[in-house]
Amino acid sequence: MSQDQQPPAGSPDAQVEMRSWPRGTSALRYGGDYNPEQWPREIWLEDIALMREAGINLVSIGIFSWALLEPREGEFDFSFLDDILSLLADAGIDVDLGTPTAAPPAWFWKKYPQARVITRDGVTLGRGSRGMGSPSSPEYRACAARITTELARRYASHPAVRMWHVHNEYGAPVSDCYSEQSVAAFRTWLRAKYATLDLVNEAWGTTFWGQRYGAWDEIDAPKTSASVVNPSQRLDFQRFTSDALLECYVLERDIIRSFSPDTPITTNFMATNCPSVDYWKWAREVDVVANDHYLAAERLDNHIMLAMDADFTRSLAGSRPWMLMEHSTSAVNWQPRNIAKRPGEMARNSLSHVARGADAVMFFQFRASRFGAEKFHSAMLPHDGTSSRIWREVGQLGASLGSLSAVRSTRVDARVGIVWDIESFWAQDLEWRPSEDLDHRERIEAFYTVLWNLGITVDFVHPEHHLDGYDVVLMPASYSISDHARDNLESYVSRGGKLVVSYFSGIVDERDSVPAGGYPGQLRRILGLTVTEWLPLRASESIILDNGATADVWAEDIVLDGAAVEARYATGPAVGKPALTRHEYGKGAAWYVSTRLDSHGLASYLTGILETARIRPHFTLPDGVETVTRVSDTEQFIFVINHTDEATTVPSAGHDLLSGNETVAGSALPPGAVCVIRQPRAT
Ligand code: GAL
């Protein structure tokens, strides 16, 4: 936004604009969770000096401090926060102040046992850990509101507080709850959604297995039952759960906003790794999208999955700058084998997030805990202190981020969108599907990996959102497609869009009901075909297509209705039948992939489709070398991240912001190294 376009000071738009990023430094944000309550005050002074040494400019405080701040119900003691906040303010280190509602104190659990979470199997969760009360508990909400009010009142104008961090990771470790309080709230939610019981009965298809409801209080949460519980009911319960958690966030946010209207408020997401929350809905409610990402460290392609998570986060942020709120300097402590990051890996991870739109790089946590459940988790300052490799790399990363100020607020543009719809995942993950090998996450990762390997940046999209900005939309796994999404996809393609659909998509509507006619009912028109029978393959059975590709998991019996065949099954149960098809639809086209192609076959098929939209890699680089470009109106910043053990070459000339050197195309980029080439924007 230019100066002339600034909204008038004090207007609601100006407040929204002010809240779009923590005010203060023009550098990228750098820091982490900081838990000073675990340490004596003299250590705080050392910590603050070390933070300054490492270039840290933002720390998240107070996230788990409820028991300290409200030692007895309604009695508050803010002395520790007063003290640490003023020390940080004096040192020029900004604070992202947490509300501590992810870990209620012991007095809360003792006084309000009815607020405890009950699992689907009927287990009442015990105490002595962390985890909120039942999201629908009135007592939990009232207590959360009270501590939030006291914090917001006291610190709204504190000079250190540049941002508010509501709660911690809604959806983990608490998500769905089956307590009586939740059941009551579920009924209220259903009344608001359907208004009448008849409509609930219709939406859930309760004539099946004689499940018809005659009174609201006959409806229960979908607890573990004698057999499979009504899938439409379970799907609604998932939606209810996400909404109940969101209400808890909004409750706290609105309290803070009433005291602190200009300061951004966020909560930390777990982008592609939170199975219980619909982030497309949530992203509208935060001022800045913030994300926590931890590598699935044992996976050799964990850097690709990191990129996927970052691209999804940027997409949630609507392409505005976002914050990496947590990641780890090295190993976590909660995976089966906690693989340590090798030298340089932490910086590659961090810079990959920045390349994909993050303007903040934060860690869990600043100083490693000496006790408690997370004492073996890596930190910025490990147990062996400042002589450690990790601390050295933390300082180097601080310097690197300091040299990247020019990328702040620049964009990442993408011409390809991949559909991500958690409601569809919820629906598909219910019981009794045609094959246990149908795995939506696996398909999305496979499609994403093809694009990552080609160096083509993608956004993630919701099927009901505006898609016209994308030349190609990929839909690797969307079992359920709402009627609205179906219409949206049809109009996208008819206006010239290119859509690629993979098997087991568009099978049901948003109620988990099969539309009349053959499969895939929501996509038949657009794909120009009908699937008359699914032909799931046996475990480890593989088949061949007549274009030479191999495939497994799934085949189908397809009858064409306007689509053209691009490849047929050469072996397996659908031999001779269409396997890959293309359908011209309006001004655009829709492709269908009816089987699980192996990675090579998928890559070559998708490359051909992308070529029809003239989407090709900008640079040809060896496998394992990542490139992403951030752009402003006048400049571009090409990130090149060498994840391999071999030297590679820099693909383009310009000023490398990290080394400070001018580079020429073809100069060497050592194994594991990163460069960020600044250039005038290509026209
Ligand atoms: C996150 C959580 C942090 C810390 C971290 C450890 O999910 O928000 O508080 O527990 O995991 O990896």
Side-chain angles (χ1 to χ4, degrees):
M1 190 176 277
S2 75
Q3 282 291 334
D4 321 337
Q5 293 167 312
Q6 295 291 348
S11 70
D13 282 354
Q15 280 180 336
V16 170
E17 188 57 32
M18 282 177 91
R19 294 199 303 260
S20 65
W21 196 252
R23 272 164 295 133
T25 173
S26 61
L28 299 179
R29 288 294 184 172
Y30 185 44
D33 284 13
Y34 179 43
N35 295 303
E37 60 270 50
Q38 296 174 17
W39 302 95
R41 196 173 186 279
E42 60 272 18
I43 298 280
W44 300 359
L45 304 176
E46 186 186 321
D47 285 343
I48 290 172
L50 289 172
M51 286 175 192
R52 286 171 59 93
E53 188 182 308
I56 287 173
N57 55 33
L58 185 69
V59 288
S60 304
I61 302 261
I63 300 172
F64 298 106
S65 306
W66 194 346
L68 213 60
L69 302 177
E70 191 179 357
R72 278 164 298 280
E73 184 168 14
E75 284 179 31
F76 300 95
D77 176 359
F78 291 109
S79 48
F80 126 80
L81 259 190
D82 289 350
D83 197 6
I84 187 72
L85 289 183
S86 78
L87 290 174
L88 288 162
D90 291 348
I93 295 172
D94 293 337
V95 169
D96 168 35
L97 185 56
T99 67
T101 53
W107 58 253
F108 174 83
W109 299 116
K110 182 168 170 228
K111 178 154 181 208
Y112 304 110
Q114 67 277 33
R116 287 161 71 181
V117 170
I118 300 185
T119 67
R120 188 161 185 252
D121 293 337
V123 176
T124 304
L125 298 185
R127 326 180 207 164
S129 176
R130 66 173 165 185
M132 63 191 285
S134 166
S136 302
S137 157
E139 296 84 5
Y140 170 73
R141 288 189 185 192
C143 290
R146 183 174 52 209
I147 181 68
T148 301
T149 306
E150 293 306 318
L151 274 169
R153 193 200 321 276
R154 191 171 186 93
Y155 298 113
S157 313
H158 195 289
V161 178
R162 300 294 189 151
M163 180 157 203
W164 289 92
H165 179 301
V166 172
H167 198 87
N168 191 62
E169 294 185 342
Y170 280 102
V174 167
S175 57
D176 43 345
C177 170
Y178 298 76
S179 67
E180 280 313 304
Q181 296 186 327
S182 292
V183 173
F186 182 43
R187 292 181 190 137
T188 306
W189 184 92
L190 289 169
R191 276 179 191 266
K193 178 169 178 177
Y194 292 104
T196 70
L197 260 186
D198 282 349
L199 290 176
V200 177
N201 280 311
E202 188 191 324
W204 290 3
T206 55
T207 49
F208 182 81
W209 278 357
Q211 293 169 353
R212 189 163 189 82
Y213 295 103
W216 287 100
D217 63 4
E218 290 169 8
I219 297 181
D220 200 359
K223 297 169 184 163
T224 302
S225 199
S227 181
V228 166
V229 173
N230 184 316
S232 311
Q233 178 184 0
R234 291 200 62 189
L235 189 52
D236 265 343
F237 195 71
Q238 291 272 20
R239 294 177 176 124
F240 155 76
T241 297
S242 177
D243 288 353
L245 290 164
L246 184 55
E247 280 174 14
C248 293
Y249 166 76
V250 167
L251 172 74
E252 294 191 28
R253 181 203 62 192
D254 289 351
I255 292 169
I256 296 169
R257 182 146 301 155
S258 68
F259 291 98
S260 192
D262 300 335
T263 307
I265 305 171
T266 194
T267 185
N268 42 348
F269 292 174
M270 295 162 282
T272 65
N273 295 308
C274 183
S276 54
V277 158
D278 183 355
Y279 284 130
W280 291 115
K281 266 190 171 179
W282 282 63
R284 300 197 288 261
E285 306 293 342
V286 295
D287 294 322
V288 181
V289 166
N291 191 46
D292 296 352
H293 180 264
Y294 292 92
L295 295 180
E298 272 197 83
R299 283 181 66 155
L300 296 176
D301 64 350
N302 59 35
H303 53 293
I304 303 180
M305 296 302 103
L306 177 157
M308 184 172 103
D309 200 80
D311 285 340
F312 181 52
T313 308
R314 182 188 66 254
S315 308
L316 291 171
S319 292
R320 290 182 310 154
W322 56 275
M323 303 180 75
L324 175 63
M325 188 61 93
E326 290 179 26
H327 70 318
S328 67
T329 56
S330 185
V332 299
N333 66 323
W334 42 265
Q335 296 182 357
R337 281 164 291 276
N338 295 298
I339 309 297
K341 293 189 184 178
R342 303 315 301 140
E345 191 175 351
M346 175 185 84
R348 288 194 297 282
N349 288 171
S350 299
L351 293 171
S352 177
H353 285 288
V354 174
R356 293 170 191 278
D359 276 1
V361 171
M362 315 270 289
F363 291 94
F364 174 84
Q365 61 177 324
F366 177 71
R367 184 185 275 272
S369 304
R370 287 185 51 217
F371 42 77
E374 298 191 309
K375 57 185 170 297
F376 299 133
H377 195 291
S378 62
M380 299 176 92
L381 185 61
H383 290 142
D384 62 338
T386 53
S387 60
S388 59
R389 170 185 69 79
I390 288 181
W391 178 252
R392 267 197 312 282
E393 291 193 17
V394 162
Q396 286 157 8
L397 180 59
S400 296
L401 295 172
S403 68
L404 291 177
S405 308
V407 306
R408 261 239 13 224
S409 300
T410 57
R411 307 185 306 276
V412 179
D413 291 340
R415 295 173 60 196
V416 180
I418 299 186
V419 172
W420 182 282
D421 180 0
I422 196 143
E423 291 208 6
S424 172
F425 306 160
W426 290 337
Q428 181 171 336
D429 285 342
L430 297 172
E431 300 99 332
W432 291 3
R433 299 300 181 230
S435 167
E436 66 173 18
D437 298 329
L438 289 167
D439 180 342
H440 49 83
R441 174 78 187 217
E442 181 278 332
R443 273 304 75 192
I444 291 176
E445 290 179 0
F447 275 62
Y448 181 85
T449 299
V450 169
L451 279 287
W452 191 95
N453 283 328
L454 290 170
I456 295 171
T457 307
V458 304
D459 283 346
F460 284 85
V461 297
H462 189 279
E464 294 182 4
H465 293 178
H466 193 64
L467 300 172
D468 283 354
Y470 300 98
D471 296 317
V472 175
V473 170
L474 306 176
M475 199 154 67
S478 287
Y479 158 72
S480 127
I481 291 183
S482 68
D483 291 352
H484 181 186
R486 176 201 59 207
D487 297 346
N488 190 44
L489 293 164
E490 285 181 359
S491 83
Y492 163 71
V493 178
S494 64
R495 287 203 299 274
K498 294 171 189 271
L499 177 71
V500 185
V501 177
S502 183
Y503 58 90
F504 208 57
S505 292
I507 305 301
V508 295
D509 63 15
E510 61 268 42
R511 302 178 309 178
D512 199 41
S513 291
V514 178
Y519 304 129
Q522 296 293 63
L523 296 171
R524 269 201 321 267
R525 260 198 309 265
I526 211 172
L527 293 175
L529 53 77
T530 299
V531 175
T532 59
E533 197 164 20
W534 295 321
L535 304 167
L537 303 181
R538 294 184 167 77
S540 71
E541 181 178 359
S542 86
I543 54 177
I544 299 177
L545 274 53
D546 66 3
N547 65 0
T550 59
D552 60 5
V553 169
W554 192 255
E556 293 181 338
D557 196 339
I558 290 175
V559 173
L560 300 174
D561 183 14
V565 178
E566 303 221 310
R568 289 181 183 274
Y569 288 101
T571 65
V575 64
K577 301 279 175 59
L580 307 174
T581 65
R582 171 186 171 135
H583 185 223
E584 307 298 324
Y585 186 82
K587 294 186 184 148
W591 285 258
Y592 186 53
V593 182
S594 71
T595 183
R596 193 175 86 138
L597 293 175
D598 67 10
S599 54
H600 183 71
L602 183 64
S604 81
Y605 195 54
L606 290 183
T607 306
I609 295 172
L610 294 169
E611 184 61 40
T612 67
R614 295 197 182 76
I615 297 174
R616 338 184 151 107
H618 286 299
F619 311 110
T620 309
L621 288 167
D623 285 353
V625 180
E626 177 177 2
T627 55
V628 194
T629 303
R630 288 186 67 160
V631 298
S632 69
D633 292 343
T634 54
E635 292 188 297
Q636 59 190 17
F637 302 87
I638 305 168
F639 286 69
V640 187
I641 305 174
N642 184 359
H643 295 280
T644 75
D645 295 332
E646 307 287 330
T648 186
T649 50
V650 175
S652 197
H655 180 72
D656 175 10
L657 290 174
L658 293 180
S659 68
N661 298 329
E662 298 308 312
T663 60
V664 291
S667 54
L669 185 66
V674 184
C675 67
V676 181
I677 308 295
R678 181 179 196 172
Q679 302 176 331
R681 177 121 190 240
T683 45

